[in-house]
Amino acid sequence: MTRPLYRLVYYSRNRIAGAPGDVAQTVQGILRASQRNNFEVGVTGALLFNAGIFAQVLEGRQDSISATFERIQRDPRHGDVHVLGFEQTSAPSFPNWSMAYLGRSREAENLFGSIAADSGFRPDSLESERIFRIMREIALEEESAAA
Ligand SMILES: Cc1cc2nc3c(=O)[nH]c(=O)nc-3n(C[C@H](O)[C@H](O)[C@H](O)COP(=O)(O)O)c2cc1C
């Protein structure tokens, strides 16, 4: 029997200082480490970075996600980490990405406008589902644009 699949959605605030180019380079480094580590433990997902906010979806086995997220939470390159949801799910939504990077897009800007203005996301499952759906949409759009 296959082990149940879980999905964790969180958002956090950037703590990487410096010029935009330096920040982008650091984020690329985070992404490379994420892809390497996640691939090894069968975790997939997507990372969005916009308006000083990270949003991330992690999916995989519960123990793999917990271990990965514990490491992520301790990372001083971001802070104010808010979990929006951690639930069982029937199928992975980012099966082809050990960590997809969702760049700047109108959807992301709309999504993050409110938190950048400091009102925050609502920490409930509806919000988790909404963010997750938007991220999946952006990933699918980027995948078809790249094809
Ligand atoms: C916003 C953010 C998202 C991250 N996502 C992941 C991730 O999905 N997987 C991962 O292994 N590390 C992730 N990291 C990096 C971890 O905090 C940590 O630096 C890394 O796992 C250490 O890996 P290494 O020992 O192979 O360098 C993330 C860090 C930040 C700031």
Side-chain angles (χ1 to χ4, degrees), residues 6-141:
Y6 281 78
R7 181 197 307 140
L8 184 144
V9 181
Y10 78 85
Y11 76 93
S12 62
R13 286 181 193 276
N14 173 42
R15 298 271 188 263
I16 308 161
D22 300 335
V23 176
Q25 218 169 1
T26 303
V27 172
Q28 284 307 314
I30 290 173
L31 205 61
R32 274 196 300 275
S34 302
Q35 287 163 346
R36 190 181 59 234
N37 295 336
N38 296 357
F39 181 76
E40 271 176 26
V41 295
V43 167
T44 56
L47 176 70
L48 208 157
F49 179 48
N50 204 291
I53 304 282
F54 291 105
Q56 192 171 30
V57 177
L58 295 165
E59 46 191 29
R61 282 175 22 198
Q62 191 171 17
D63 54 350
S64 307
I65 293 192
S66 297
T68 301
F69 187 57
E70 264 170 41
R71 229 173 33 243
I72 294 174
Q73 273 188 298
R74 285 195 304 265
D75 196 317
R77 293 174 289 188
H78 67 164
D80 245 343
V81 178
H82 286 81
V83 175
L84 293 165
F86 189 20
E87 285 151 12
Q88 207 176 322
T89 177
S90 49
S93 294
F94 302 94
N96 303 328
W97 294 279
S98 48
M99 191 47 60
Y101 184 62
L102 311 181
R104 291 180 178 279
S105 67
R106 186 156 321 135
E107 287 93 334
E109 261 156 41
N110 291 340
L111 179 63
F112 287 162
S114 57
I115 22 178
D118 235 337
S119 55
F121 285 117
R122 293 188 314 274
D124 61 29
S125 58
L126 263 182
E127 191 76 331
S128 169
E129 189 68 23
R130 186 171 79 92
I131 290 166
F132 156 71
R133 282 182 191 284
I134 292 172
M135 288 177 70
R136 191 177 54 180
E137 226 168 85
I138 299 171
L140 289 174
E141 271 171 26

